[in-house]
Coordinates of all heavy atoms in Angstrom, one line a residue:
D225 N -12.3 -14.2 -33.2 CA -11.0 -14.7 -32.9 C -10.9 -14.8 -31.4 O -10.9 -13.8 -30.6 CB -10.0 -13.7 -33.3 CG -8.5 -14.2 -33.2 OD1 -8.3 -15.4 -32.9 OD2 -7.6 -13.3 -33.3
L226 N -11.0 -16.0 -30.8 CA -11.2 -16.3 -29.4 C -9.9 -15.9 -28.6 O -10.0 -15.3 -27.5 CB -11.4 -17.8 -29.2 CG -11.7 -18.3 -27.7 CD1 -12.9 -17.6 -27.2 CD2 -11.7 -19.8 -27.7
V227 N -8.7 -16.2 -29.1 CA -7.5 -15.8 -28.4 C -7.4 -14.4 -28.2 O -7.1 -13.9 -27.1 CB -6.3 -16.4 -29.2 CG1 -5.0 -15.9 -28.5 CG2 -6.3 -17.9 -29.3
R228 N -7.7 -13.6 -29.3 CA -7.6 -12.1 -29.2 C -8.6 -11.5 -28.2 O -8.3 -10.7 -27.4 CB -7.9 -11.5 -30.6 CG -7.7 -10.0 -30.6 CD -7.5 -9.5 -32.0 NE -7.4 -8.1 -31.9 CZ -8.3 -7.2 -32.3 NH1 -9.5 -7.7 -32.8 NH2 -8.1 -5.9 -32.2
S229 N -9.8 -12.0 -28.2 CA -10.8 -11.5 -27.3 C -10.5 -11.8 -25.9 O -10.6 -11.0 -25.0 CB -12.2 -12.0 -27.7 OG -12.3 -13.4 -27.5
R230 N -10.0 -13.1 -25.6 CA -9.6 -13.4 -24.3 C -8.4 -12.6 -23.8 O -8.3 -12.1 -22.7 CB -9.4 -14.9 -24.1 CG -10.6 -15.7 -24.2 CD -10.5 -17.1 -23.7 NE -10.0 -17.1 -22.3 CZ -9.5 -18.1 -21.7 NH1 -9.4 -19.3 -22.3 NH2 -9.2 -18.1 -20.4
G231 N -7.5 -12.3 -24.7 CA -6.3 -11.6 -24.4 C -6.7 -10.2 -24.1 O -6.1 -9.6 -23.1
L232 N -7.6 -9.5 -24.8 CA -8.0 -8.2 -24.5 C -8.7 -8.1 -23.1 O -8.5 -7.2 -22.3 CB -9.0 -7.6 -25.5 CG -8.4 -7.2 -26.8 CD1 -9.4 -6.7 -27.8 CD2 -7.4 -6.0 -26.6
G233 N -9.5 -9.1 -22.8 CA -10.1 -9.1 -21.5 C -9.1 -9.2 -20.3 O -9.2 -8.5 -19.4
D234 N -8.1 -10.0 -20.5 CA -7.0 -10.0 -19.6 C -6.3 -8.7 -19.5 O -5.9 -8.3 -18.3 CB -6.0 -11.1 -19.9 CG -6.6 -12.5 -19.7 OD1 -7.6 -12.7 -19.0 OD2 -6.0 -13.5 -20.2
V235 N -6.1 -8.1 -20.5 CA -5.4 -6.7 -20.5 C -6.2 -5.8 -19.7 O -5.7 -5.0 -18.9 CB -5.2 -6.2 -22.0 CG1 -4.8 -4.7 -22.0 CG2 -4.2 -7.0 -22.7
Y236 N -7.6 -5.7 -19.9 CA -8.4 -4.8 -19.2 C -8.4 -5.1 -17.7 O -8.4 -4.2 -16.9 CB -9.8 -4.8 -19.7 CG -9.9 -4.3 -21.2 CD1 -10.7 -4.9 -22.1 CD2 -9.3 -3.1 -21.6 CE1 -10.7 -4.4 -23.4 CE2 -9.4 -2.6 -22.8 CZ -10.1 -3.2 -23.8 OH -10.2 -2.7 -25.0
K237 N -8.4 -6.4 -17.4 CA -8.4 -6.9 -16.0 C -7.2 -6.4 -15.3 O -7.1 -5.9 -14.2 CB -8.5 -8.4 -15.9 CG -9.4 -8.9 -14.9 CD -9.5 -10.4 -14.8 CE -10.2 -11.1 -16.0 NZ -10.3 -12.5 -15.9
R238 N -6.0 -6.6 -16.0 CA -4.7 -6.2 -15.5 C -4.6 -4.7 -15.3 O -4.1 -4.3 -14.3 CB -3.6 -6.6 -16.5 CG -2.8 -7.8 -15.9 CD -1.5 -8.0 -16.7 NE -1.4 -7.6 -18.1 CZ -1.7 -8.4 -19.1 NH1 -2.1 -9.7 -18.9 NH2 -1.6 -8.0 -20.4
Q239 N -5.1 -3.9 -16.2 CA -5.1 -2.5 -16.1 C -5.9 -2.0 -14.9 O -5.5 -1.2 -14.1 CB -5.7 -1.8 -17.4 CG -4.8 -1.8 -18.5 CD -5.4 -1.2 -19.8 OE1 -6.7 -1.1 -19.8 NE2 -4.7 -0.9 -20.8
T240 N -7.1 -2.6 -14.7 CA -7.9 -2.3 -13.6 C -7.2 -2.6 -12.3 O -7.2 -1.8 -11.3 CB -9.3 -3.1 -13.6 OG1 -9.9 -2.8 -14.9 CG2 -10.2 -2.7 -12.5
K241 N -6.7 -3.8 -12.2 CA -6.0 -4.3 -11.0 C -4.8 -3.3 -10.7 O -4.5 -3.0 -9.5 CB -5.5 -5.7 -11.2 CG -5.1 -6.4 -9.9 CD -6.4 -6.7 -9.1 CE -5.9 -7.5 -7.8 NZ -6.9 -7.5 -6.8
K242 N -4.0 -3.0 -11.8 CA -2.9 -2.2 -11.6 C -3.3 -0.8 -11.0 O -2.6 -0.3 -10.2 CB -2.2 -2.0 -12.9 CG -0.9 -1.3 -12.8 CD -0.2 -1.2 -14.2 CE 1.1 -0.4 -14.1 NZ 1.7 -0.3 -15.4
S243 N -4.3 -0.2 -11.6 CA -4.7 1.1 -11.1 C -5.2 1.1 -9.7 O -4.9 2.0 -8.9 CB -5.7 1.7 -12.0 OG -6.9 1.0 -12.0
L244 N -5.9 0.0 -9.3 CA -6.3 -0.1 -7.9 C -5.2 -0.3 -7.0 O -5.1 0.2 -5.9 CB -7.3 -1.3 -7.8 CG -8.7 -1.2 -8.4 CD1 -9.5 -2.5 -8.3 CD2 -9.4 -0.1 -7.7
N245 N -4.2 -1.1 -7.4 CA -3.0 -1.3 -6.6 C -2.2 0.0 -6.4 O -1.7 0.3 -5.3 CB -2.1 -2.4 -7.2 CG -2.6 -3.8 -7.1 OD1 -3.5 -4.0 -6.3 ND2 -2.0 -4.7 -7.8
K246 N -2.1 0.8 -7.5 CA -1.3 2.0 -7.4 C -2.0 3.0 -6.4 O -1.4 3.7 -5.7 CB -1.2 2.7 -8.8 CG -0.2 2.0 -9.7 CD -0.1 2.7 -11.0 CE 0.7 3.9 -11.1 NZ 0.9 4.4 -12.4
L247 N -3.4 3.0 -6.5 CA -4.2 3.8 -5.6 C -3.9 3.5 -4.2 O -3.7 4.3 -3.3 CB -5.6 3.7 -6.0 CG -6.6 4.5 -5.1 CD1 -6.4 6.0 -5.3 CD2 -8.1 4.1 -5.3
Q248 N -4.0 2.2 -3.9 CA -3.8 1.7 -2.5 C -2.4 2.0 -2.1 O -2.2 2.4 -0.9 CB -4.1 0.2 -2.5 CG -4.4 -0.3 -1.1 CD -4.9 -1.7 -1.1 OE1 -4.6 -2.5 -2.1 NE2 -5.4 -2.2 -0.1
H249 N -1.4 1.8 -2.9 CA -0.1 2.1 -2.6 C 0.2 3.6 -2.3 O 0.8 4.0 -1.3 CB 0.9 1.6 -3.6 CG 2.3 1.4 -3.3 ND1 3.2 1.0 -4.1 CD2 2.9 1.6 -2.1 CE1 4.4 1.0 -3.5 NE2 4.2 1.3 -2.3
K250 N -0.4 4.4 -3.1 CA -0.3 5.9 -2.9 C -1.0 6.4 -1.6 O -0.5 7.2 -0.9 CB -0.9 6.6 -4.1 CG -0.7 8.1 -4.1 CD 0.8 8.4 -4.2 CE 0.9 10.0 -4.3 NZ 2.3 10.3 -4.3
T251 N -2.1 5.7 -1.3 CA -2.9 6.1 -0.2 C -2.0 5.8 1.1 O -1.9 6.5 2.1 CB -4.2 5.3 -0.1 OG1 -5.0 5.6 -1.3 CG2 -5.0 5.7 1.1
T252 N -1.4 4.6 1.1 CA -0.5 4.2 2.2 C 0.7 5.1 2.3 O 1.0 5.5 3.4 CB -0.1 2.7 2.0 OG1 -1.2 1.9 1.8 CG2 0.7 2.2 3.2
R253 N 1.3 5.5 1.2 CA 2.4 6.4 1.3 C 2.0 7.7 1.9 O 2.8 8.3 2.7 CB 3.0 6.6 -0.1 CG 3.9 5.4 -0.6 CD 4.8 5.8 -1.7 NE 4.2 6.4 -2.8 CZ 3.8 5.8 -3.9 NH1 4.0 4.5 -4.0 NH2 3.2 6.3 -4.9
N254 N 0.8 8.2 1.5 CA 0.4 9.5 2.1 C 0.1 9.3 3.6 O 0.4 10.3 4.4 CB -0.9 9.9 1.4 CG -0.6 10.4 0.0 OD1 0.5 10.8 -0.4 ND2 -1.6 10.4 -0.9
A255 N -0.4 8.2 4.0 CA -0.6 8.0 5.4 C 0.7 7.9 6.1 O 0.8 8.4 7.3 CB -1.5 6.6 5.6
I256 N 1.7 7.3 5.6 CA 3.0 7.2 6.3 C 3.5 8.7 6.4 O 4.1 9.0 7.4 CB 4.0 6.4 5.4 CG1 3.6 4.9 5.6 CG2 5.4 6.5 5.9 CD1 4.3 4.0 4.6
K257 N 3.4 9.5 5.3 CA 3.9 10.9 5.4 C 3.2 11.6 6.5 O 3.9 12.4 7.2 CB 3.7 11.6 4.0 CG 4.7 11.2 3.0 CD 4.4 12.0 1.7 CE 5.1 11.3 0.5 NZ 4.6 11.8 -0.8
K258 N 1.9 11.4 6.6 CA 1.1 12.1 7.6 C 1.6 11.7 9.0 O 1.7 12.5 9.9 CB -0.4 11.8 7.4 CG -1.3 12.7 8.2 CD -2.8 12.3 8.0 CE -3.3 12.9 6.7 NZ -4.7 12.7 6.5
L259 N 1.9 10.4 9.2 CA 2.4 9.9 10.5 C 3.8 10.6 10.7 O 4.0 11.0 11.9 CB 2.5 8.4 10.4 CG 3.1 7.8 11.7 CD1 2.3 8.0 12.9 CD2 3.2 6.2 11.4
K260 N 4.6 10.6 9.8 CA 5.9 11.2 10.0 C 5.9 12.7 10.3 O 6.7 13.2 11.0 CB 6.8 11.0 8.8 CG 7.3 9.5 8.6 CD 8.2 9.4 7.4 CE 8.8 8.0 7.3 NZ 9.5 7.9 6.0
D261 N 4.8 13.4 9.7 CA 4.7 14.8 10.0 C 3.9 15.1 11.2 O 3.7 16.3 11.5 CB 4.0 15.5 8.8 CG 4.9 15.4 7.5 OD1 6.1 15.3 7.7 OD2 4.3 15.6 6.5
A262 N 3.5 14.1 12.0 CA 2.7 14.3 13.2 C 3.4 15.2 14.2 O 4.6 15.0 14.4 CB 2.3 13.0 13.8
K263 N 2.8 16.2 14.7 CA 3.4 17.2 15.6 C 3.7 16.6 17.0 O 4.8 16.8 17.5 CB 2.4 18.4 15.8 CG 2.1 19.1 14.5 CD 3.2 20.1 14.1 CE 2.7 20.9 12.9 NZ 3.2 20.5 11.6
T264 N 2.8 15.8 17.5 CA 3.0 15.2 18.9 C 3.0 13.7 18.8 O 2.6 13.1 17.9 CB 1.9 15.7 19.8 OG1 0.6 15.1 19.3 CG2 1.7 17.2 19.9
K265 N 3.7 13.2 19.9 CA 3.7 11.7 20.1 C 2.3 11.1 20.2 O 2.0 10.1 19.6 CB 4.4 11.3 21.4 CG 5.9 11.6 21.2 CD 6.6 10.3 20.9 CE 8.1 10.5 21.1 NZ 8.9 9.5 20.4
K266 N 1.4 11.9 20.9 CA 0.1 11.4 21.0 C -0.7 11.2 19.7 O -1.4 10.3 19.4 CB -0.8 12.4 21.9 CG -2.1 11.9 22.4 CD -2.7 12.9 23.4 CE -4.1 12.4 23.8 NZ -4.7 13.3 24.7
E267 N -0.5 12.2 18.8 CA -1.1 12.2 17.5 C -0.5 11.1 16.7 O -1.3 10.4 16.0 CB -0.8 13.6 16.8 CG -1.5 13.8 15.5 CD -1.2 15.1 14.8 OE1 -0.7 16.0 15.5 OE2 -1.3 15.2 13.6
A268 N 0.8 10.9 16.8 CA 1.5 9.8 16.1 C 1.0 8.4 16.5 O 0.7 7.5 15.7 CB 3.0 9.9 16.2
S269 N 0.8 8.2 17.8 CA 0.3 7.0 18.4 C -1.1 6.7 17.9 O -1.5 5.5 17.8 CB 0.3 7.0 19.9 OG 1.5 7.6 20.4
K270 N -1.9 7.8 17.7 CA -3.3 7.6 17.2 C -3.3 7.1 15.8 O -4.1 6.2 15.4 CB -4.0 8.9 17.3 CG -5.4 8.9 17.6 CD -6.0 10.3 17.7 CE -7.3 10.3 18.5 NZ -7.8 11.6 18.7
L271 N -2.4 7.6 14.9 CA -2.3 7.3 13.5 C -1.7 6.0 13.2 O -1.9 5.3 12.3 CB -1.5 8.4 12.7 CG -2.2 9.8 12.6 CD1 -1.2 10.8 12.0 CD2 -3.5 9.7 11.8
Y272 N -0.7 5.5 14.1 CA 0.1 4.4 13.9 C -0.6 3.1 13.6 O -0.3 2.4 12.6 CB 1.0 4.2 15.1 CG 1.9 3.0 15.0 CD1 3.1 3.0 14.2 CD2 1.7 1.8 15.7 CE1 3.9 2.0 14.0 CE2 2.6 0.7 15.6 CZ 3.6 0.8 14.7 OH 4.5 -0.3 14.6
P273 N -1.7 2.7 14.3 CA -2.4 1.4 14.0 C -3.0 1.4 12.7 O -2.9 0.3 12.0 CB -3.4 1.3 15.1 CG -3.0 2.3 16.2 CD -2.2 3.3 15.5
G274 N -3.5 2.5 12.2 CA -4.1 2.5 10.9 C -3.1 2.4 9.8 O -3.4 1.7 8.8
V275 N -2.0 3.0 10.0 CA -0.9 3.0 9.0 C -0.4 1.5 8.9 O -0.1 1.0 7.8 CB 0.2 4.0 9.2 CG1 1.4 3.8 8.4 CG2 -0.3 5.4 9.2
V276 N -0.1 0.9 10.0 CA 0.4 -0.5 10.1 C -0.6 -1.4 9.4 O -0.2 -2.3 8.6 CB 0.6 -0.9 11.5 CG1 0.9 -2.4 11.6 CG2 1.8 -0.2 12.1
S277 N -1.9 -1.2 9.6 CA -2.9 -2.0 8.9 C -2.8 -1.8 7.4 O -2.9 -2.8 6.7 CB -4.3 -1.6 9.4 OG -5.3 -2.2 8.7
L278 N -2.7 -0.6 6.9 CA -2.5 -0.4 5.5 C -1.3 -1.1 4.9 O -1.4 -1.7 3.9 CB -2.5 1.1 5.2 CG -3.8 1.9 5.4 CD1 -3.4 3.4 5.2 CD2 -4.8 1.5 4.3
I279 N -0.2 -1.0 5.6 CA 1.1 -1.7 5.2 C 0.8 -3.1 5.1 O 1.3 -3.8 4.2 CB 2.2 -1.3 6.1 CG1 2.6 0.2 6.0 CG2 3.4 -2.1 5.9 CD1 3.6 0.8 7.0
D280 N 0.2 -3.7 6.2 CA 0.0 -5.2 6.2 C -0.9 -5.6 5.0 O -0.7 -6.7 4.4 CB -0.7 -5.7 7.5 CG 0.2 -5.6 8.7 OD1 1.5 -5.7 8.4 OD2 -0.2 -5.5 9.8
K281 N -1.9 -4.8 4.7 CA -2.7 -5.1 3.5 C -1.9 -5.1 2.2 O -2.1 -6.0 1.3 CB -3.9 -4.2 3.4 CG -5.0 -4.3 4.4 CD -6.1 -3.3 4.3 CE -7.1 -3.4 5.5 NZ -8.0 -2.3 5.5
L282 N -1.1 -4.2 2.1 CA -0.2 -4.2 0.9 C 0.7 -5.4 0.8 O 0.8 -6.0 -0.3 CB 0.7 -2.9 0.8 CG 0.0 -1.6 0.6 CD1 1.0 -0.4 0.6 CD2 -0.8 -1.5 -0.7
A283 N 1.3 -5.8 1.9 CA 2.1 -6.9 1.8 C 1.3 -8.2 1.6 O 1.8 -9.1 0.9 CB 2.8 -7.1 3.3
K284 N 0.1 -8.3 2.2 CA -0.7 -9.5 2.0 C -1.1 -9.6 0.5 O -1.2 -10.8 0.0 CB -2.0 -9.4 2.8 CG -2.9 -10.5 2.8 CD -4.1 -10.4 3.8 CE -4.9 -11.6 3.7 NZ -6.1 -11.4 4.6
K285 N -1.3 -8.6 -0.2 CA -1.8 -8.6 -1.6 C -0.5 -8.6 -2.5 O -0.7 -8.5 -3.7 CB -2.6 -7.4 -1.9 CG -4.0 -7.5 -1.3 CD -4.8 -6.3 -1.7 CE -6.2 -6.4 -1.0 NZ -7.0 -5.3 -1.5
N286 N 0.7 -8.7 -1.9 CA 2.0 -8.7 -2.7 C 2.2 -7.5 -3.5 O 2.8 -7.5 -4.6 CB 2.1 -9.9 -3.5 CG 2.2 -11.2 -2.8 OD1 2.9 -11.2 -1.8 ND2 1.6 -12.2 -3.2
I287 N 1.6 -6.4 -3.0 CA 1.9 -5.1 -3.7 C 3.3 -4.6 -3.3 O 4.0 -4.0 -4.1 CB 0.8 -4.0 -3.4 CG1 -0.6 -4.5 -3.9 CG2 1.1 -2.6 -4.0 CD1 -1.7 -3.7 -3.5
I288 N 3.6 -4.9 -2.0 CA 5.0 -4.6 -1.5 C 5.5 -6.0 -0.9 O 4.6 -6.8 -0.5 CB 5.1 -3.5 -0.5 CG1 4.3 -3.7 0.8 CG2 4.8 -2.1 -1.2 CD1 4.5 -2.7 1.8
H289 N 6.8 -6.1 -0.9 CA 7.4 -7.4 -0.3 C 7.2 -7.4 1.3 O 7.2 -6.3 1.9 CB 8.8 -7.3 -0.6 CG 9.4 -8.7 -0.4 ND1 9.9 -9.2 0.8 CD2 9.6 -9.8 -1.3 CE1 10.4 -10.4 0.6 NE2 10.2 -10.8 -0.6
K290 N 7.0 -8.5 1.8 CA 6.7 -8.6 3.3 C 7.9 -8.1 4.1 O 7.7 -7.5 5.1 CB 6.5 -10.1 3.6 CG 7.6 -11.1 3.4 CD 7.1 -12.5 3.8 CE 8.3 -13.4 3.6 NZ 8.0 -14.8 4.1
N291 N 9.2 -8.2 3.6 CA 10.3 -7.7 4.3 C 10.3 -6.1 4.3 O 10.6 -5.4 5.3 CB 11.6 -8.1 3.7 CG 11.8 -9.7 4.0 OD1 11.0 -10.3 4.8 ND2 12.8 -10.2 3.4
K292 N 9.8 -5.6 3.2 CA 9.7 -4.1 3.0 C 8.7 -3.6 4.1 O 8.9 -2.6 4.8 CB 9.4 -3.6 1.7 CG 9.2 -2.1 1.5 CD 9.0 -1.7 0.1 CE 8.6 -0.3 0.0 NZ 9.9 0.6 0.1
A293 N 7.6 -4.4 4.1 CA 6.5 -4.0 5.1 C 7.1 -4.0 6.5 O 6.8 -3.2 7.3 CB 5.3 -5.0 5.0
S294 N 7.8 -5.1 6.8 CA 8.4 -5.2 8.2 C 9.3 -4.1 8.5 O 9.3 -3.5 9.5 CB 9.1 -6.6 8.2 OG 9.6 -6.7 9.5
N295 N 10.2 -3.7 7.5 CA 11.1 -2.6 7.7 C 10.4 -1.3 7.9 O 10.8 -0.5 8.8 CB 12.1 -2.5 6.5 CG 13.1 -3.6 6.4 OD1 13.4 -4.2 7.4 ND2 13.6 -3.9 5.2
L296 N 9.4 -1.1 7.1 CA 8.6 0.2 7.3 C 8.0 0.3 8.7 O 8.0 1.3 9.4 CB 7.4 0.2 6.2 CG 7.8 0.7 4.9 CD1 6.6 0.5 3.9 CD2 8.2 2.1 4.8
K297 N 7.3 -0.9 9.1 CA 6.7 -0.9 10.4 C 7.7 -0.7 11.5 O 7.4 0.1 12.5 CB 5.9 -2.2 10.6 CG 4.7 -2.3 9.8 CD 3.8 -3.5 10.1 CE 4.5 -4.8 9.9 NZ 3.6 -5.9 10.1
S298 N 8.9 -1.2 11.4 CA 9.9 -1.1 12.3 C 10.4 0.4 12.5 O 10.5 0.9 13.6 CB 11.1 -1.9 12.0 OG 12.2 -1.7 12.9
K299 N 10.6 1.1 11.3 CA 10.9 2.5 11.3 C 9.9 3.3 12.0 O 10.2 4.3 12.7 CB 11.4 2.9 9.9 CG 12.6 2.4 9.5 CD 13.0 2.8 8.1 CE 14.3 2.2 7.7 NZ 14.4 2.0 6.3
L300 N 8.6 3.0 11.6 CA 7.5 3.9 12.0 C 7.3 3.6 13.5 O 6.8 4.6 14.2 CB 6.2 3.5 11.2 CG 6.3 3.9 9.7 CD1 5.0 3.4 9.0 CD2 6.4 5.5 9.6
S301 N 7.6 2.5 14.0 CA 7.2 2.2 15.5 C 8.2 3.1 16.3 O 7.8 3.4 17.4 CB 7.5 0.8 15.8 OG 8.9 0.5 15.7
K302 N 9.3 3.5 15.8 CA 10.2 4.4 16.6 C 9.7 5.8 16.6 O 10.1 6.6 17.4 CB 11.6 4.4 15.9 CG 12.2 3.0 16.0 CD 13.5 2.9 15.2 CE 14.0 1.5 15.2 NZ 15.0 1.3 14.2
L303 N 8.8 6.2 15.7 CA 8.2 7.6 15.7 C 7.1 7.7 16.8 O 6.9 8.8 17.3 CB 7.6 7.9 14.4 CG 8.5 7.9 13.1 CD1 7.8 8.1 11.9 CD2 9.6 9.0 13.4
K304 N 6.4 6.6 17.1 CA 5.2 6.8 18.0 C 5.6 6.9 19.4 O 6.6 6.7 19.9 CB 4.3 5.7 17.8 CG 4.8 4.3 18.3 CD 3.7 3.3 18.3 CE 4.3 2.0 18.9 NZ 3.3 1.1 19.3

């Protein structure tokens, strides 16, 4: 059954992609928390570029909306 076999392949592909997206999203959220919990401005300034890069990657892959990415970056820029 060609339709069924192709359908299952798509299901597996989607599951893999979904789990990778969730992992990347969670990693970014943890990085944001770490930035917010930074003790000093110097430490926050050091973490900021990496966090912004992660946020941009999520927006580029449409894991988060580009406006949400922009809002996050704006809020985080005030911390550094």
Side-chain angles (χ1 to χ4, degrees):
D225 191 11
L226 182 65
V227 175
R228 183 163 177 252
S229 62
R230 287 199 60 193
L232 282 178
D234 288 346
V235 167
Y236 293 135
K237 220 183 289 183
R238 255 196 327 270
Q239 284 176 342
T240 306
K241 195 71 173 161
K242 184 178 179 181
S243 63
L244 289 172
N245 287 347
K246 282 177 83 170
L247 175 70
Q248 198 171 20
H249 198 181
K250 186 66 177 171
T251 304
T252 304
R253 283 200 305 264
N254 287 338
I256 290 170
K257 282 180 196 166
K258 195 179 280 188
L259 176 61
K260 285 181 178 177
D261 293 341
K263 301 277 189 256
T264 62
K265 289 262 188 196
K266 190 176 181 182
E267 190 182 337
S269 314
K270 209 176 205 181
L271 293 171
Y272 181 74
V275 173
V276 168
S277 174
L278 288 171
I279 291 171
D280 285 337
K281 284 177 189 172
L282 289 182
K284 186 178 179 183
K285 293 181 176 183
N286 290 322
I287 297 172
I288 61 173
H289 196 275
K290 63 180 182 179
N291 290 353
K292 180 179 174 74
S294 182
N295 288 336
L296 279 171
K297 290 192 291 185
S298 173
K299 285 179 181 150
L300 293 175
S301 70
K302 295 170 186 168
L303 297 176
K304 67 172 186 160

